[in-house]
Amino acid sequence: MKQQHTYGAGGPLRRVQVGNALSAFGSGFTMPYMFVYVDQVRGLGSLAAGMVFTVFALAALFVLPFAGRGIDRYGPRPVLLAGAALAATGAFSFGHATGTAALLVSSFLFGGGVTTCQPALATMIVRCSTPKTRSHAFALQFTLVNLGMGFGALVGGQIVNVSDPASLTRLFTIEALAFLALGAVTGTARIAKDHGLTATPVALAAASDAPSGLRALRADKAMLRLCLLAGLIFFTCYGQFESGVAAFATDTVRTAPATLGMALGANALTIVVLQMFMVRITARHRRTTAMAATGVIWLGAWAAALLAGLIRGEAMAATVAIVSIYVLFGIGESMLAPTLGPIVADLAPTRLLGTYNSAFSLVKQLAIAVGPAVGVLLIGTGLWPLYLAAMTGCTLLIVVLALGLRRHLTPAQDNVRGAEAAPEPVLVPVRELQTAA
């Protein structure tokens, strides 16, 4: 009983969630100002600024495979500490760099550190929670991330002064300190390696003969299908609403920047208000149903975007339509938060939890990196009807893939009601045995 209290969802989970908030605060604190820092403050131009963002995103391709293997071999804490140190080094050096080469190296370290922390934090949440509390834990993480990013952007905006390069240096120095705090608070939390999981000698022997690493991942059809679905989700929503949709709102609909800021605020407020309600709602339904329902809600968002484009001459009505897009996105996001993280955890064999979380993070990073390029390209060339048609098609595909994933999941993985009531001879994820078979 004492061990459960030490390693349960109490103190360690609170520290992990504080770490999530610190990481999000750091991202919101500096990410909106990286472009202007390189372009205007250092005077290196938009091309160099674009290269910095590209390198930042590409760092994930390099570090995440190593992060996954490191988590599986050494646990999430050492990987989180390494990621926090890498991010702190990158942020500090970024704020002091003056040339393009130095900024690119700093951006690589910065991006590599940030993306290394993500699967480590996700693995910590899984190990600090039980199957019954996991959805709530991931939903709380998502809420704290949104609050952290919003608060970080607000505070960062008070520090930034384009005419004063020292203000940007202070900004990135503070972020470096935030990542060091992340390492100190969360990286020292005591977390059991296999909290809530026990295996019989038969299951352990089967697992020892099973494929490992990327070989196991490639053989897992359900996980591959989930990654494809998640890629579409992140491409269609997260890769668009701060880039493609923002460009559509400002360039096509002629929405004022202040109105766009209000719409982004409405998105964050929607998530904060609805998140815990959505945890209870999604707990009573299949996870694939929740993902398909998210797609249906986002179809409403693209319908609102089409309406805004058609009535862009009516300022008030177009403004309401633009804000509606972000509110509908927020409703869908709040349904996904208690769904995606737990389903990855249930699909992953215990010994490969880090690899699965890293693969999921890699898909997310790639989709978010590609999404803005596609959206801004189509909007920038005046092809906004084609843009909306493409995003609508992707969203319809989300619904189809979510429903198609259902037949590849066990009842427990899909959160079928009553699945937990069935007797379990061994408290070890079924994927462990399926992979070993």
Side-chain angles (χ1 to χ4, degrees):
M1 207 60 185
K2 183 178 179 181
Q3 185 178 5
Q4 289 179 353
H5 175 74
T6 303
Y7 292 122
L13 182 57
R14 284 194 294 270
R15 293 173 71 173
V16 173
Q17 298 291 26
V18 170
N20 278 302
L22 284 169
S23 177
F25 174 84
S27 296
F29 195 58
T30 57
M31 286 297 289
Y33 313 109
M34 287 178 68
F35 188 93
V36 70
Y37 173 72
V38 178
D39 181 26
Q40 298 181 28
V41 176
R42 294 306 182 193
L44 298 174
S46 59
L47 178 60
M51 291 171 60
V52 162
F53 276 99
T54 300
V55 169
F56 187 94
L58 289 178
L61 291 174
F62 181 80
V63 303
L64 283 174
F66 296 100
R69 288 197 291 270
I71 291 170
D72 293 334
R73 172 172 283 191
Y74 304 109
R77 283 200 304 168
V79 174
L80 178 68
L81 288 170
L86 197 63
T89 302
F92 183 81
S93 58
F94 195 89
H96 290 79
T98 57
T100 301
L103 283 166
L104 290 176
V105 172
S106 300
S107 180
F108 183 85
L109 296 175
F110 193 8
V114 170
T115 51
T116 297
C117 291
Q118 291 175 1
L121 287 167
T123 303
M124 285 180 158
I125 288 178
V126 173
R127 291 184 177 176
C128 286
S129 60
T130 66
K132 290 184 178 180
T133 63
R134 195 158 293 148
S135 293
H136 185 278
F138 274 101
L140 180 60
Q141 177 205 28
F142 188 67
T143 302
L144 290 174
V145 164
N146 277 275
L147 287 173
M149 291 191 71
F151 184 65
L154 179 65
V155 175
Q158 305 305 309
I159 296 175
V160 169
N161 182 354
V162 177
S163 62
D164 180 17
S167 69
L168 276 299
T169 299
R170 284 194 298 272
L171 192 78
F172 289 101
T173 300
I174 293 171
E175 178 164 23
L177 294 175
F179 276 102
L180 291 178
L182 163 64
V185 172
T186 306
T188 55
R190 296 181 61 196
I191 299 172
K193 183 175 182 181
D194 295 305
H195 174 66
L197 299 175
T198 56
T200 64
V202 174
L204 291 174
S208 65
D209 296 330
S212 61
L214 294 178
R215 284 198 304 126
L217 192 63
R218 287 195 297 267
D220 191 338
K221 303 301 182 184
M223 184 59 185
L224 292 178
R225 288 174 178 271
L226 178 64
C227 284
L228 177 60
L229 173 59
L232 269 173
I233 287 171
F234 290 120
F235 172 85
T236 307
C237 175
Y238 300 92
Q240 301 303 325
F241 76 84
E242 287 185 352
S243 56
V245 176
F248 170 76
T250 55
D251 293 351
T252 303
V253 185
R254 303 298 180 185
T255 302
T259 302
L260 185 60
M262 181 177 67
L264 287 165
N267 173 267
L269 182 62
T270 300
I271 293 168
V272 171
V273 170
L274 292 183
Q275 189 61 85
M276 290 305 120
F277 293 103
M278 287 300 183
V279 171
R280 292 195 288 270
I281 292 172
T282 55
R284 298 194 295 267
H285 297 87
R286 288 176 178 264
R287 288 169 177 162
T288 50
T289 300
M291 289 186 282
T294 296
V296 173
I297 292 169
W298 286 353
L299 285 174
W302 295 118
L306 176 61
L307 178 63
L310 295 175
I311 62 171
R312 55 187 181 275
E314 302 290 336
M316 181 58 69
T319 295
V320 172
I322 291 295
V323 174
S324 299
I325 297 170
Y326 286 89
V327 170
L328 289 168
F329 270 134
I331 296 172
E333 290 174 79
S334 65
M335 294 183 71
L336 288 174
T339 303
L340 286 176
I343 203 171
V344 173
D346 286 349
L347 284 171
T350 306
R351 70 189 191 284
L352 296 178
L353 186 56
T355 296
Y356 273 57
N357 277 324
S358 293
F360 185 76
S361 295
L362 181 58
V363 169
K364 176 181 177 180
Q365 291 298 122
L366 289 175
I368 292 177
V370 173
V374 174
V376 172
L377 175 64
L378 291 176
I379 296 298
T381 52
L383 299 175
W384 67 268
L386 178 60
Y387 170 71
L388 296 182
M391 293 303 110
T392 299
C394 289
T395 307
L396 284 170
L397 194 53
I398 288 173
V399 178
V400 173
L401 291 178
L403 296 176
L405 179 64
R406 178 173 296 177
R407 63 179 179 272
H408 297 277
L409 302 177
T410 66
Q413 291 161 359
D414 201 18
N415 194 39
V416 176
R417 297 185 67 180
E420 291 184 357
E424 291 285 348
V426 181
L427 291 177
V428 66
V430 68
R431 301 300 302 176
E432 190 81 43
L433 304 179
Q434 289 176 348
T435 306

